[in-house]
PDB file of all heavy atoms in Angstrom:
ATOM      1  N   PHE A  77      73.066   2.902-103.687  1.00  0.00           N
ATOM      2  CA  PHE A  77      73.365   3.701-102.402  1.00  0.00           C
ATOM      3  C   PHE A  77      74.539   2.992-101.696  1.00  0.00           C
ATOM      4  O   PHE A  77      74.687   3.282-100.535  1.00  0.00           O
ATOM      5  CB  PHE A  77      72.033   3.764-101.601  1.00  0.00           C
ATOM      6  CG  PHE A  77      71.078   4.519-102.225  1.00  0.00           C
ATOM      7  CD1 PHE A  77      69.784   4.583-101.723  1.00  0.00           C
ATOM      8  CD2 PHE A  77      71.330   5.405-103.384  1.00  0.00           C
ATOM      9  CE1 PHE A  77      68.693   5.403-102.262  1.00  0.00           C
ATOM     10  CE2 PHE A  77      70.213   6.137-103.931  1.00  0.00           C
ATOM     11  CZ  PHE A  77      69.033   6.166-103.353  1.00  0.00           C
ATOM     12  N   ASN A  78      75.120   2.106-102.262  1.00  0.00           N
ATOM     13  CA  ASN A  78      76.380   1.391-101.553  1.00  0.00           C
ATOM     14  C   ASN A  78      76.084   0.813-100.335  1.00  0.00           C
ATOM     15  O   ASN A  78      76.711   0.760 -99.273  1.00  0.00           O
ATOM     16  CB  ASN A  78      77.477   2.403-101.283  1.00  0.00           C
ATOM     17  CG  ASN A  78      77.964   3.059-102.587  1.00  0.00           C
ATOM     18  OD1 ASN A  78      78.676   2.281-103.401  1.00  0.00           O
ATOM     19  ND2 ASN A  78      77.682   4.273-102.898  1.00  0.00           N
ATOM     20  N   PRO A 226      79.353  11.206-108.015  1.00  0.00           N
ATOM     21  CA  PRO A 226      79.639   9.934-107.402  1.00  0.00           C
ATOM     22  C   PRO A 226      80.604  10.027-106.307  1.00  0.00           C
ATOM     23  O   PRO A 226      80.634   9.088-105.387  1.00  0.00           O
ATOM     24  CB  PRO A 226      80.159   9.110-108.552  1.00  0.00           C
ATOM     25  CG  PRO A 226      80.491  10.085-109.719  1.00  0.00           C
ATOM     26  CD  PRO A 226      79.686  11.283-109.383  1.00  0.00           C
ATOM     27  N   GLU A 227      81.436  11.044-106.161  1.00  0.00           N
ATOM     28  CA  GLU A 227      82.461  11.092-105.098  1.00  0.00           C
ATOM     29  C   GLU A 227      81.750  11.668-103.827  1.00  0.00           C
ATOM     30  O   GLU A 227      82.350  11.550-102.671  1.00  0.00           O
ATOM     31  CB  GLU A 227      83.672  12.079-105.380  1.00  0.00           C
ATOM     32  CG  GLU A 227      84.718  11.289-106.144  1.00  0.00           C
ATOM     33  CD  GLU A 227      84.343  11.046-107.587  1.00  0.00           C
ATOM     34  OE1 GLU A 227      83.986  12.034-108.199  1.00  0.00           O
ATOM     35  OE2 GLU A 227      84.543   9.869-108.040  1.00  0.00           O
ATOM     36  N   LEU A 228      80.641  12.225-103.909  1.00  0.00           N
ATOM     37  CA  LEU A 228      80.033  12.742-102.701  1.00  0.00           C
ATOM     38  C   LEU A 228      79.598  11.634-101.817  1.00  0.00           C
ATOM     39  O   LEU A 228      78.706  10.758-102.158  1.00  0.00           O
ATOM     40  CB  LEU A 228      78.767  13.700-103.117  1.00  0.00           C
ATOM     41  CG  LEU A 228      78.010  14.366-102.037  1.00  0.00           C
ATOM     42  CD1 LEU A 228      78.870  15.447-101.547  1.00  0.00           C
ATOM     43  CD2 LEU A 228      76.678  14.895-102.348  1.00  0.00           C
ATOM     44  N   GLU A 229      80.079  11.666-100.680  1.00  0.00           N
ATOM     45  CA  GLU A 229      79.716  10.671 -99.734  1.00  0.00           C
ATOM     46  C   GLU A 229      78.492  11.119 -98.844  1.00  0.00           C
ATOM     47  O   GLU A 229      78.641  11.895 -97.938  1.00  0.00           O
ATOM     48  CB  GLU A 229      80.984  10.322 -98.723  1.00  0.00           C
ATOM     49  CG  GLU A 229      82.041   9.431 -99.328  1.00  0.00           C
ATOM     50  CD  GLU A 229      83.126   8.989 -98.396  1.00  0.00           C
ATOM     51  OE1 GLU A 229      82.737   8.712 -97.349  1.00  0.00           O
ATOM     52  OE2 GLU A 229      84.193   9.108 -98.864  1.00  0.00           O
ATOM     53  N   TRP A 230      77.453  10.418 -99.167  1.00  0.00           N
ATOM     54  CA  TRP A 230      76.216  10.804 -98.362  1.00  0.00           C
ATOM     55  C   TRP A 230      75.431   9.566 -97.937  1.00  0.00           C
ATOM     56  O   TRP A 230      74.427   9.763 -97.260  1.00  0.00           O
ATOM     57  CB  TRP A 230      75.403  11.594 -99.298  1.00  0.00           C
ATOM     58  CG  TRP A 230      74.939  10.867-100.473  1.00  0.00           C
ATOM     59  CD1 TRP A 230      75.473  10.750-101.663  1.00  0.00           C
ATOM     60  CD2 TRP A 230      73.779  10.199-100.615  1.00  0.00           C
ATOM     61  NE1 TRP A 230      74.873   9.921-102.554  1.00  0.00           N
ATOM     62  CE2 TRP A 230      73.715   9.549-101.970  1.00  0.00           C
ATOM     63  CE3 TRP A 230      72.673   9.920 -99.727  1.00  0.00           C
ATOM     64  CZ2 TRP A 230      72.736   8.806-102.347  1.00  0.00           C
ATOM     65  CZ3 TRP A 230      71.706   9.153-100.272  1.00  0.00           C
ATOM     66  CH2 TRP A 230      71.590   8.597-101.529  1.00  0.00           C
ATOM     67  N   ASP A 231      75.718   8.370 -98.552  1.00  0.00           N
ATOM     68  CA  ASP A 231      74.913   7.293 -98.384  1.00  0.00           C
ATOM     69  C   ASP A 231      75.366   6.207 -97.348  1.00  0.00           C
ATOM     70  O   ASP A 231      75.986   6.611 -96.369  1.00  0.00           O
ATOM     71  CB  ASP A 231      74.729   6.546 -99.733  1.00  0.00           C
ATOM     72  CG  ASP A 231      75.916   6.327-100.397  1.00  0.00           C
ATOM     73  OD1 ASP A 231      76.976   6.151 -99.801  1.00  0.00           O
ATOM     74  OD2 ASP A 231      75.938   6.028-101.662  1.00  0.00           O
ATOM     75  N   PHE A 232      75.145   4.976 -97.590  1.00  0.00           N
ATOM     76  CA  PHE A 232      75.611   3.912 -96.630  1.00  0.00           C
ATOM     77  C   PHE A 232      77.127   3.800 -96.505  1.00  0.00           C
ATOM     78  O   PHE A 232      77.535   3.023 -95.593  1.00  0.00           O
ATOM     79  CB  PHE A 232      74.929   2.526 -97.038  1.00  0.00           C
ATOM     80  CG  PHE A 232      73.466   2.444 -96.895  1.00  0.00           C
ATOM     81  CD1 PHE A 232      72.692   2.248 -98.128  1.00  0.00           C
ATOM     82  CD2 PHE A 232      72.855   2.652 -95.683  1.00  0.00           C
ATOM     83  CE1 PHE A 232      71.310   2.063 -98.016  1.00  0.00           C
ATOM     84  CE2 PHE A 232      71.414   2.563 -95.655  1.00  0.00           C
ATOM     85  CZ  PHE A 232      70.766   2.357 -96.710  1.00  0.00           C
ATOM     86  N   ARG A 233      77.869   4.490 -97.327  1.00  0.00           N
ATOM     87  CA  ARG A 233      79.268   4.524 -97.070  1.00  0.00           C
ATOM     88  C   ARG A 233      79.531   5.192 -95.727  1.00  0.00           C
ATOM     89  O   ARG A 233      80.670   5.010 -95.160  1.00  0.00           O
ATOM     90  CB  ARG A 233      79.977   5.329 -98.264  1.00  0.00           C
ATOM     91  CG  ARG A 233      80.152   4.656 -99.549  1.00  0.00           C
ATOM     92  CD  ARG A 233      80.646   5.492-100.720  1.00  0.00           C
ATOM     93  NE  ARG A 233      79.468   6.334-101.144  1.00  0.00           N
ATOM     94  CZ  ARG A 233      79.665   7.156-102.081  1.00  0.00           C
ATOM     95  NH1 ARG A 233      80.750   7.416-102.767  1.00  0.00           N
ATOM     96  NH2 ARG A 233      78.449   7.953-102.410  1.00  0.00           N
ATOM     97  N   LEU A 234      78.607   6.087 -95.228  1.00  0.00           N
ATOM     98  CA  LEU A 234      78.840   6.529 -93.993  1.00  0.00           C
ATOM     99  C   LEU A 234      78.218   5.668 -92.851  1.00  0.00           C
ATOM    100  O   LEU A 234      77.089   5.389 -93.051  1.00  0.00           O
ATOM    101  CB  LEU A 234      78.168   8.030 -93.875  1.00  0.00           C
ATOM    102  CG  LEU A 234      78.658   9.002 -94.913  1.00  0.00           C
ATOM    103  CD1 LEU A 234      77.741  10.150 -94.975  1.00  0.00           C
ATOM    104  CD2 LEU A 234      80.067   9.382 -94.480  1.00  0.00           C
ATOM    105  N   PRO A 235      78.988   5.275 -91.917  1.00  0.00           N
ATOM    106  CA  PRO A 235      78.605   4.169 -90.954  1.00  0.00           C
ATOM    107  C   PRO A 235      77.211   4.506 -90.175  1.00  0.00           C
ATOM    108  O   PRO A 235      76.434   3.567 -89.873  1.00  0.00           O
ATOM    109  CB  PRO A 235      79.716   3.909 -90.046  1.00  0.00           C
ATOM    110  CG  PRO A 235      80.672   4.930 -90.323  1.00  0.00           C
ATOM    111  CD  PRO A 235      80.361   5.569 -91.632  1.00  0.00           C
ATOM    112  N   ARG A 260      69.995  -0.297 -94.099  1.00  0.00           N
ATOM    113  CA  ARG A 260      71.352  -0.720 -94.187  1.00  0.00           C
ATOM    114  C   ARG A 260      71.459  -2.248 -94.246  1.00  0.00           C
ATOM    115  O   ARG A 260      72.161  -2.888 -94.972  1.00  0.00           O
ATOM    116  CB  ARG A 260      72.195  -0.117 -93.130  1.00  0.00           C
ATOM    117  CG  ARG A 260      73.698  -0.343 -93.260  1.00  0.00           C
ATOM    118  CD  ARG A 260      74.348   0.221 -92.026  1.00  0.00           C
ATOM    119  NE  ARG A 260      75.715   0.289 -92.276  1.00  0.00           N
ATOM    120  CZ  ARG A 260      76.324   1.298 -92.879  1.00  0.00           C
ATOM    121  NH1 ARG A 260      75.653   2.419 -93.068  1.00  0.00           N
ATOM    122  NH2 ARG A 260      77.648   1.318 -93.126  1.00  0.00           N
TER     123      ARG A 260
END
Side-chain angles (χ1 to χ4, degrees):
Chain A
F77 294 167
N78 298 292
E227 271 76 48
L228 183 72
E229 278 184 46
W230 64 274
D231 53 16
F232 292 119
R233 283 168 283 177
L234 300 169
R260 189 186 195 86

